[in-house]
Amino acid sequence: MRIATYNVNSITARLPRLLAWLESSGTDVLCIQETKCTAEQFPAETLREAGYESAVNATGRWNGVALLSRVGLADVVTGLPGGPEYDGVQEPRAISATCGPLRLWSVYVPNGREVEHEHYAYKLRWLEALRKAVAADAAGGLPFAVLGDFNVAPTDEDVWDPALFEGATHVTPAERAALAALEAEGLSEVHPRPLKYDRAYTFWDYRELRFPKNKGMRIDLTFGNAPFTAAVKDSYVDREERKGKGASDHAPVVVDLDL
């Protein structure tokens, strides 16, 4: 069984590439982030024609998450239970469902903007709410994982130049401690292998030729419980999908399971 997580940076802009990638990769379940559309605009019918059911949490603007599955989609929970609000609303940053033999969450963690910004405090509250929300699934007997764009680089090895990020979001001790707290609920990170170079980055800014120079970050992550990680056969960053015209600024992260 093959699952993946992918920040598409607008599903409408990326749809032809996404459909081609789903077909060529043979992905069974895909966690999507940053749909940048409303639920009504989400191309569910087109994806259904390609063999995928959809569960969507999207209201437009810059957020939005989804799950695509060709192995079943049940017990959908839209949103983050107990999650904090920002500007008076709970943003569409989480969705979970049972997909065949798995229980999965697709999450898009707030960016944080700057350490002094309210969005950073919101990010830490959001991560704490995520920890609480996944605890029961993490402790269960069903293979379970949380996948998505966490907007946190777990270690200094996960950014191309740690010195440039000093004092910035994505690398602060508090953000990394939040990931450690998530793992303490019974989850372990699945580390992907790179298809090129020695570091498995998942995001490269469009600016300053950062992708061809491999100046990236690893912020798209997978955390699974023991039944999930025991089934992992392989994981890799599909760097090839970041190439070419019309690509997202993220690459898909693929996890192969013996299920």
Side-chain angles (χ1 to χ4, degrees), residues 100-154:
L102 300 165
R103 182 75 183 170
L104 298 175
W105 283 63
S106 176
V107 300
Y108 181 36
V109 176
N111 178 280
R113 300 179 187 172
E114 298 174 354
V115 173
E116 297 80 12
H117 199 283
E118 168 57 24
H119 208 260
Y120 177 77
Y122 163 60
K123 180 178 189 175
L124 296 180
R125 293 194 303 270
W126 201 96
L127 283 165
E128 173 60 12
L130 177 65
R131 180 191 67 78
K132 293 178 179 177
V134 305
D137 282 332
L142 199 67
F144 168 74
V146 187
L147 303 92
D149 180 354
F150 280 76
N151 273 314
V152 182

Side-chain angles (χ1 to χ4, degrees), residues 183-195:
E183 290 188 280
E185 294 295 338
L187 301 174
S188 300
E189 188 182 353
V190 176
H191 293 269
R193 59 184 174 87
L195 293 185

Side-chain angles (χ1 to χ4, degrees), residues 51-104:
Y52 291 87
E53 296 179 78
S54 303
V56 184
N57 183 13
T59 57
R61 301 181 68 183
W62 307 109
N63 304 314
V65 290
L67 280 162
L68 309 183
S69 175
R70 62 180 186 181
V71 295
L73 195 62
D75 303 319
V76 175
V77 176
T78 302
L80 178 61
E85 294 183 348
Y86 191 75
D87 283 344
V89 298
Q90 187 181 116
E91 296 178 317
R93 294 183 174 274
I95 193 164
S96 57
T98 300
C99 304
L102 300 165
R103 182 75 183 170
L104 298 175

Side-chain angles (χ1 to χ4, degrees), residues 166-235:
E166 188 172 348
T169 60
H170 292 60
V171 300
T172 65
E175 291 166 287
R176 289 173 172 174
L179 293 187
L182 185 67
E183 290 188 280
E185 294 295 338
L187 301 174
S188 300
E189 188 182 353
V190 176
H191 293 269
R193 59 184 174 87
L195 293 185
K196 186 178 181 181
Y197 302 112
D198 60 343
R199 298 184 184 182
Y201 297 142
T202 66
F203 165 81
W204 301 259
D205 198 294
Y206 289 127
R207 299 170 296 178
E208 300 173 350
L209 298 175
R210 289 194 179 179
F211 178 66
K213 294 178 180 178
N214 201 36
K215 295 182 176 180
M217 305 176 71
R218 190 173 72 88
I219 56 176
D220 301 88
L221 311 174
T222 300
F223 294 94
N225 68 356
F228 180 91
T229 56
V232 174
K233 297 191 299 181
D234 191 16
S235 182

